Amino acid sequence: MAPAPLEVIDKGHSTDAHPAPLLFVHGAWHAAWCWDDHFLDFFAGRGYRALALSFRGHGRSASDKPLRSLSISDYVDDVATVAARLPTPPIVVGHSMGGFVVQKYLEDRDVPAGVLMASAPPRGYLGSGVRWFRRHPWQFVRTSLSGESLAYVSPIEAARERFFSPSTPEAIVAACAARLQEESARSGRDGVTALPRPKRVRAPMLVLGALDDGMAVTPAEVHATARAYRTEATLFPGMGHNMMLEPGWEAVASHIDSWLISRGL
């Protein structure tokens, strides 16, 4: 069976200064749009080819199976499918669940570099799940029983708690919340059982986090991720989980750009 068509937003062109394309990988409940608001134009304007995919069943990507049964392995295959179409291996940038997917993708593949933004740590989603249960036990129980979670992340105040800082303008939170969609229940279970193996990853890694991200990924988990990949984390103050949409996203993008330039990428 042919793979389902995947949505890919593709901007800019590779240049002599930046020959490797950037492939951006979104997190749970999101799609390629979260990178298109700011990051794709930022990097395209600096001489990179910048692409963002939507996992199957997300955004405008079709799916060959029901959403609830999509696995982390399916998402890794989606990244591999898009990367295989590129003329050279891409630098892969993953956010949240997308960072977890990137870690799994890099176990068996050589790329110029990987970037993890507020990524789920190598030890998986357990910490995030415990925090959700402690703050909203009935939400957690209902989601676990039904396999449906959108109703508990898409209201504006719920989206703020999970994805943004307390000071983020309401319009930014509302614009994101309106575009969120249901996530696969299977992928959530995989985030506890199908853990990455950092020792198999050979690519240099940049690990970034947000100091006001306490619901999805804590600063301590960001530092643990950096240690697993033999590097040090950079954390951005006054910023929540959705680092590519928060006010101050330019500082995050510029940091990535500077790191890539320092490595000749």
Side-chain angles (χ1 to χ4, degrees), residues 14 18-23 49 51 79-80 82-92 105-106 109-114 203 265:
S14 296
H18 304 298
L22 293 173
L23 179 57
R49 183 181 179 188
L51 311 93
V79 175
V82 175
R85 299 171 185 162
L86 300 174
T88 59
I91 298 159
V92 283
Y105 173 79
L106 293 180
R109 296 167 179 90
D110 289 317
V111 301
L265 298 172

Side-chain angles (χ1 to χ4, degrees), residues 91-234:
I91 298 159
V92 283
V93 183
H95 173 254
S96 194
M97 180 188 75
F100 191 90
V101 171
V102 164
Q103 292 173 67
K104 297 291 292 181
Y105 173 79
L106 293 180
E107 289 177 355
D108 303 308
R109 296 167 179 90
D110 289 317
V111 301
V115 179
L116 303 178
M117 292 173 50
S119 171
R123 66 186 184 190
Y125 299 176
L126 183 59
S128 177
V130 168
R131 288 188 290 277
W132 195 349
F133 177 76
R134 287 176 175 172
R135 294 190 191 188
H136 306 290
W138 283 111
Q139 286 185 12
F140 185 86
V141 170
R142 292 186 187 109
T143 294
S144 299
L145 293 175
S146 69
E148 297 177 351
S149 55
L150 180 63
Y152 306 121
V153 300
S154 60
I156 291 177
E157 286 311 308
R160 179 183 294 280
E161 179 184 37
R162 180 164 287 273
F163 302 119
F164 295 95
S165 75
S167 61
T168 303
E170 189 87 349
I172 294 176
V173 180
C176 174
R179 293 182 286 183
L180 298 174
Q181 64 183 97
E182 191 61 76
E183 187 50 71
S184 162
R186 166 71 185 277
S187 72
R189 294 192 296 272
D190 286 351
V192 178
T193 59
L195 300 182
R197 293 167 286 183
K199 291 183 179 179
R200 296 186 59 170
V201 175
R202 296 179 291 273
M205 302 290 282
L206 176 64
V207 178
L208 308 176
L211 281 176
D212 283 354
D213 183 353
M215 180 70 171
V217 183
T218 66
E221 288 171 331
V222 176
H223 284 299
T225 298
R227 288 194 297 272
Y229 291 101
R230 305 166 293 281
T231 188
E232 294 185 3
T234 299

